[in-house]
Amino acid sequence: MLKHTLTLAALALSTAALGQAVRGTDVNVTSGGRAYKSYLAAPASATPKPAVILLHSFRGLEQGYRDLVDQMAAAGYVTLALGWQTFEQEPSDATVKTLVEDGLKYLGTRRDVNINAVGLTGFCAGGRYTMLLLPQIKAFKAGVAWYGFPDQGGTAAKPQAPTALIGQLTAPMLILHGTRDQPSPIASIYSYAGKLDAANKPFKLSVYQGEPHSFLLREGRIADTFASRDARREMLGYFGEYLR
């Protein structure tokens, strides 16, 4: 298994070690007058700490994402997985943006959250939302986009593609992708990276040779593979560098 890493900004990584096991809980996040079924885990300490909003894939809030939320909490991050498909399988971008903003408000009510150190991560459709919303919501200090869709847009529900918002991006972004991704071909990611570079935007691209789409999970659970383990380490290291 090979991994090719392209860094186009001085992004020093610090690898976060997992602490003791943390188990999260189901929560409701209210947005647009509706309660979205979500999942949250937090370290035991009540002192303010960095936080992350997680946007699951198009397949829903599978157990693997819940386990990942627990792992991230064990590593020191209050982590909120928003159930953005609670009411619609494919809500509009505007609906998801409002939900994410309300997720930030939800985190802001917690005493254990440093609201000035919040990141965004997402997978598949959630990866696209990360690429799309990181330029728009300035409260996020960093983002990690897993196998997203930078060119997807141009419809009534999804009027803009992430590539159209590159000029607005100010927060650093880590992009994780596999070379055998068929739904989101690696060529589109290389093109997106080239545009980010041309615009002098801070980012890091980690490409996993031979990996398909959704390589974090296998049958709804976290995959026991090099790519899954390494990409999770990359994400924790990236957030460790920028969420302070």
Side-chain angles (χ1 to χ4, degrees):
M1 177 66 65
L2 298 176
K3 184 188 75 172
H4 304 291
T5 301
L6 171 66
T7 306
L8 297 176
L11 305 177
L13 294 181
S14 60
T15 303
L18 292 178
Q20 67 180 52
V22 174
R23 179 170 295 177
T25 185
D26 292 320
V27 297
N28 287 327
V29 175
T30 301
S31 183
R34 301 189 291 185
Y36 285 79
K37 298 177 181 178
S38 303
Y39 184 76
L40 180 131
S45 169
T47 59
K49 54 191 65 67
V52 175
I53 286 180
L54 184 150
L55 300 173
H56 60 74
S57 76
F58 197 69
R59 292 181 177 178
L61 187 49
E62 298 176 283
Q63 184 60 44
Y65 295 117
R66 292 171 177 265
D67 293 340
L68 179 59
V69 167
D70 293 345
Q71 290 183 9
M72 294 176 71
Y77 300 91
V78 178
T79 307
L80 173 63
L82 291 172
W84 56 269
Q85 288 181 317
T86 299
F87 300 101
E88 303 169 82
Q89 186 177 25
E90 195 167 3
S92 70
D93 286 351
T95 297
V96 176
K97 180 175 183 286
T98 299
L99 173 60
V100 171
E101 291 170 334
D102 288 329
L104 281 166
K105 292 176 184 177
Y106 179 93
L107 290 175
T109 66
R110 295 180 59 95
R111 292 186 177 181
D112 60 350
V113 170
N114 175 1
I115 201 62
N116 295 313
V118 182
L120 177 66
T121 189
F123 307 76
C124 180
R128 174 184 175 271
Y129 290 137
T130 300
M131 295 170 169
L132 185 76
L133 298 179
L134 197 63
Q136 298 183 65
I137 303 177
K138 300 303 182 182
F140 290 118
K141 303 305 179 185
V144 179
W146 297 66
Y147 31 85
F149 296 82
D151 300 317
Q152 193 177 84
T155 68
K158 301 176 180 179
Q160 290 182 301
T163 50
L165 300 177
I166 286 175
Q168 299 178 35
L169 181 66
T170 54
M173 177 166 52
L174 169 64
I175 303 165
L176 302 166
H177 218 84
T179 62
R180 303 288 171 83
D181 192 321
Q182 294 184 0
S184 179
I186 189 63
S188 67
I189 298 301
Y190 288 142
S191 175
Y192 180 57
K195 292 173 183 176
L196 288 169
D197 182 40
N200 291 316
K201 301 301 179 179
F203 78 98
K204 178 179 179 180
L205 172 61
S206 288
V207 176
Y208 293 86
Q209 193 275 324
E211 291 297 324
H213 194 65
S214 300
F215 63 81
L216 171 76
L217 304 184
R218 181 171 293 171
E219 296 181 354
R221 300 276 182 165
I222 294 177
D224 184 17
T225 62
F226 167 80
S228 179
R229 291 190 299 270
D230 190 76
R232 279 176 281 146
R233 284 193 294 266
E234 287 262 5
M235 175 176 65
L236 289 174
Y238 204 75
F239 281 143
E241 182 67 24
Y242 291 104
L243 303 186
R244 298 180 179 180

